[in-house]
mmCIF file of all heavy atoms in Angstrom:
data_model
loop_
_atom_site.group_PDB
_atom_site.id
_atom_site.type_symbol
_atom_site.label_atom_id
_atom_site.label_comp_id
_atom_site.label_asym_id
_atom_site.label_seq_id
_atom_site.Cartn_x
_atom_site.Cartn_y
_atom_site.Cartn_z
ATOM 1 N N ILE A 354 -52.482 56.215 -141.067
ATOM 2 C CA ILE A 354 -52.152 57.172 -142.125
ATOM 3 C C ILE A 354 -53.267 57.145 -143.175
ATOM 4 O O ILE A 354 -53.658 56.089 -143.628
ATOM 5 C CB ILE A 354 -50.795 56.847 -142.753
ATOM 6 C CG1 ILE A 354 -49.677 56.935 -141.700
ATOM 7 C CG2 ILE A 354 -50.496 57.760 -143.909
ATOM 8 C CD1 ILE A 354 -48.332 56.456 -142.213
ATOM 9 N N PRO A 355 -53.773 58.319 -143.609
ATOM 10 C CA PRO A 355 -54.853 58.334 -144.616
ATOM 11 C C PRO A 355 -54.390 57.792 -145.942
ATOM 12 O O PRO A 355 -53.240 57.988 -146.356
ATOM 13 C CB PRO A 355 -55.228 59.812 -144.698
ATOM 14 C CG PRO A 355 -54.017 60.521 -144.214
ATOM 15 C CD PRO A 355 -53.412 59.673 -143.153
ATOM 16 N N ASN A 356 -55.286 57.091 -146.631
ATOM 17 C CA ASN A 356 -54.989 56.476 -147.949
ATOM 18 C C ASN A 356 -55.158 57.492 -149.075
ATOM 19 O O ASN A 356 -55.941 57.287 -149.999
ATOM 20 C CB ASN A 356 -55.917 55.272 -148.173
ATOM 21 C CG ASN A 356 -55.682 54.192 -147.163
ATOM 22 O OD1 ASN A 356 -54.585 53.912 -146.705
ATOM 23 N ND2 ASN A 356 -56.793 53.537 -146.747
ATOM 24 N N THR A 357 -54.442 58.593 -148.986
ATOM 25 C CA THR A 357 -54.688 59.670 -149.952
ATOM 26 C C THR A 357 -53.573 59.844 -150.979
ATOM 27 O O THR A 357 -53.635 60.729 -151.800
ATOM 28 C CB THR A 357 -54.855 61.017 -149.213
ATOM 29 O OG1 THR A 357 -53.763 61.222 -148.281
ATOM 30 C CG2 THR A 357 -56.170 61.011 -148.423
ATOM 31 N N ASP A 358 -52.554 58.952 -150.949
ATOM 32 C CA ASP A 358 -51.493 59.047 -151.946
ATOM 33 C C ASP A 358 -52.019 58.648 -153.326
ATOM 34 O O ASP A 358 -52.847 57.766 -153.453
ATOM 35 C CB ASP A 358 -50.341 58.129 -151.564
ATOM 36 C CG ASP A 358 -49.520 58.672 -150.441
ATOM 37 O OD1 ASP A 358 -49.634 59.895 -150.149
ATOM 38 O OD2 ASP A 358 -48.710 57.916 -149.825
ATOM 39 N N ASP A 359 -51.545 59.340 -154.330
ATOM 40 C CA ASP A 359 -51.848 59.001 -155.748
ATOM 41 C C ASP A 359 -53.341 58.984 -156.034
ATOM 42 O O ASP A 359 -53.840 58.132 -156.748
ATOM 43 C CB ASP A 359 -51.220 57.669 -156.127
ATOM 44 C CG ASP A 359 -51.165 57.470 -157.647
ATOM 45 O OD1 ASP A 359 -51.096 58.491 -158.372
ATOM 46 O OD2 ASP A 359 -51.258 56.294 -158.085
ATOM 47 N N LEU A 360 -54.068 59.881 -155.429
ATOM 48 C CA LEU A 360 -55.506 60.011 -155.719
ATOM 49 C C LEU A 360 -55.806 61.212 -156.646
ATOM 50 O O LEU A 360 -56.957 61.426 -157.043
ATOM 51 C CB LEU A 360 -56.311 60.215 -154.447
ATOM 52 C CG LEU A 360 -56.662 58.980 -153.627
ATOM 53 C CD1 LEU A 360 -57.447 59.370 -152.376
ATOM 54 C CD2 LEU A 360 -57.471 57.964 -154.427
ATOM 55 N N GLY A 361 -54.782 61.964 -156.994
ATOM 56 C CA GLY A 361 -54.954 63.110 -157.857
ATOM 57 C C GLY A 361 -55.562 64.311 -157.116
ATOM 58 O O GLY A 361 -56.068 65.245 -157.768
ATOM 59 N N LEU A 362 -55.474 64.343 -155.808
ATOM 60 C CA LEU A 362 -56.106 65.403 -155.004
ATOM 61 C C LEU A 362 -55.547 66.756 -155.349
ATOM 62 O O LEU A 362 -56.261 67.712 -155.649
ATOM 63 C CB LEU A 362 -55.981 65.111 -153.538
ATOM 64 C CG LEU A 362 -56.605 63.805 -153.049
ATOM 65 C CD1 LEU A 362 -56.215 63.517 -151.587
ATOM 66 C CD2 LEU A 362 -58.113 63.884 -153.155
ATOM 67 N N GLU A 363 -54.199 66.870 -155.257
ATOM 68 C CA GLU A 363 -53.544 68.144 -155.509
ATOM 69 C C GLU A 363 -53.716 68.605 -156.957
ATOM 70 O O GLU A 363 -53.840 69.784 -157.266
ATOM 71 C CB GLU A 363 -52.067 68.066 -155.145
ATOM 72 C CG GLU A 363 -51.793 67.905 -153.671
ATOM 73 C CD GLU A 363 -51.724 66.434 -153.226
ATOM 74 O OE1 GLU A 363 -52.187 65.584 -154.054
ATOM 75 O OE2 GLU A 363 -51.243 66.144 -152.143
ATOM 76 N N ASP A 364 -53.785 67.607 -157.837
ATOM 77 C CA ASP A 364 -53.914 67.934 -159.274
ATOM 78 C C ASP A 364 -55.196 68.706 -159.589
ATOM 79 O O ASP A 364 -55.249 69.495 -160.539
ATOM 80 C CB ASP A 364 -53.841 66.674 -160.119
ATOM 81 C CG ASP A 364 -52.493 65.959 -160.049
ATOM 82 O OD1 ASP A 364 -51.519 66.636 -159.622
ATOM 83 O OD2 ASP A 364 -52.440 64.751 -160.361
ATOM 84 N N VAL A 365 -56.269 68.385 -158.817
ATOM 85 C CA VAL A 365 -57.516 69.091 -159.093
ATOM 86 C C VAL A 365 -57.766 70.241 -158.111
ATOM 87 O O VAL A 365 -58.807 70.883 -158.173
ATOM 88 C CB VAL A 365 -58.713 68.078 -158.966
ATOM 89 C CG1 VAL A 365 -58.563 66.992 -160.003
ATOM 90 C CG2 VAL A 365 -58.866 67.518 -157.565
ATOM 91 N N GLY A 366 -56.763 70.526 -157.253
ATOM 92 C CA GLY A 366 -56.840 71.706 -156.380
ATOM 93 C C GLY A 366 -57.386 71.454 -155.017
ATOM 94 O O GLY A 366 -57.728 72.428 -154.296
ATOM 95 N N ILE A 367 -57.490 70.210 -154.574
ATOM 96 C CA ILE A 367 -58.008 69.930 -153.220
ATOM 97 C C ILE A 367 -56.905 70.164 -152.167
ATOM 98 O O ILE A 367 -55.792 69.621 -152.335
ATOM 99 C CB ILE A 367 -58.527 68.479 -153.105
ATOM 100 C CG1 ILE A 367 -59.765 68.320 -153.997
ATOM 101 C CG2 ILE A 367 -58.835 68.104 -151.678
ATOM 102 C CD1 ILE A 367 -60.332 66.908 -154.012
ATOM 103 N N ALA A 368 -57.203 70.922 -151.156
ATOM 104 C CA ALA A 368 -56.248 71.174 -150.072
ATOM 105 C C ALA A 368 -56.040 69.908 -149.238
ATOM 106 O O ALA A 368 -56.994 69.334 -148.756
ATOM 107 C CB ALA A 368 -56.714 72.312 -149.193
ATOM 108 N N VAL A 369 -54.773 69.545 -149.087
ATOM 109 C CA VAL A 369 -54.405 68.351 -148.302
ATOM 110 C C VAL A 369 -53.444 68.783 -147.192
ATOM 111 O O VAL A 369 -52.506 69.523 -147.431
ATOM 112 C CB VAL A 369 -53.725 67.291 -149.178
ATOM 113 C CG1 VAL A 369 -53.341 66.075 -148.330
ATOM 114 C CG2 VAL A 369 -54.668 66.875 -150.318
ATOM 115 N N GLU A 370 -53.736 68.356 -145.965
ATOM 116 C CA GLU A 370 -52.876 68.718 -144.845
ATOM 117 C C GLU A 370 -51.537 67.985 -144.927
ATOM 118 O O GLU A 370 -51.402 66.984 -145.636
ATOM 119 C CB GLU A 370 -53.620 68.398 -143.528
ATOM 120 C CG GLU A 370 -54.895 69.184 -143.379
ATOM 121 C CD GLU A 370 -55.535 68.944 -142.045
ATOM 122 O OE1 GLU A 370 -55.054 68.113 -141.263
ATOM 123 O OE2 GLU A 370 -56.595 69.592 -141.756
ATOM 124 N N GLU A 371 -50.580 68.458 -144.150
ATOM 125 C CA GLU A 371 -49.261 67.840 -144.130
ATOM 126 C C GLU A 371 -49.323 66.369 -143.748
ATOM 127 O O GLU A 371 -48.552 65.547 -144.189
ATOM 128 C CB GLU A 371 -48.346 68.576 -143.148
ATOM 129 C CG GLU A 371 -46.920 68.129 -143.176
ATOM 130 C CD GLU A 371 -46.033 68.959 -142.276
ATOM 131 O OE1 GLU A 371 -46.482 70.035 -141.814
ATOM 132 O OE2 GLU A 371 -44.870 68.537 -142.027
ATOM 133 N N SER A 372 -50.318 66.000 -142.937
ATOM 134 C CA SER A 372 -50.471 64.643 -142.497
ATOM 135 C C SER A 372 -51.065 63.747 -143.589
ATOM 136 O O SER A 372 -51.109 62.526 -143.436
ATOM 137 C CB SER A 372 -51.435 64.592 -141.283
ATOM 138 O OG SER A 372 -52.719 65.103 -141.645
ATOM 139 N N GLY A 373 -51.527 64.364 -144.677
ATOM 140 C CA GLY A 373 -52.158 63.596 -145.771
ATOM 141 C C GLY A 373 -53.656 63.621 -145.699
ATOM 142 O O GLY A 373 -54.339 63.099 -146.592
ATOM 143 N N HIS A 374 -54.228 64.203 -144.651
ATOM 144 C CA HIS A 374 -55.683 64.254 -144.510
ATOM 145 C C HIS A 374 -56.271 65.311 -145.450
ATOM 146 O O HIS A 374 -55.664 66.362 -145.677
ATOM 147 C CB HIS A 374 -56.084 64.560 -143.081
ATOM 148 C CG HIS A 374 -55.773 63.469 -142.103
ATOM 149 N ND1 HIS A 374 -54.609 63.450 -141.384
ATOM 150 C CD2 HIS A 374 -56.487 62.368 -141.766
ATOM 151 C CE1 HIS A 374 -54.608 62.343 -140.622
ATOM 152 N NE2 HIS A 374 -55.753 61.705 -140.812
ATOM 153 N N ILE A 375 -57.462 65.042 -145.949
ATOM 154 C CA ILE A 375 -58.190 65.970 -146.799
ATOM 155 C C ILE A 375 -58.988 66.966 -145.945
ATOM 156 O O ILE A 375 -59.809 66.547 -145.126
ATOM 157 C CB ILE A 375 -59.147 65.213 -147.737
ATOM 158 C CG1 ILE A 375 -58.419 64.190 -148.576
ATOM 159 C CG2 ILE A 375 -59.912 66.208 -148.642
ATOM 160 C CD1 ILE A 375 -59.321 63.266 -149.335
#
Side-chain angles (χ1 to χ4, degrees):
I354 298 174
N356 298 323
T357 52
D358 285 345
D359 195 30
L360 278 180
L362 299 171
E363 293 89 345
D364 295 342
V365 299
I367 293 178
V369 179
E370 299 184 356
E371 186 176 349
S372 62
H374 292 94
I375 302 171

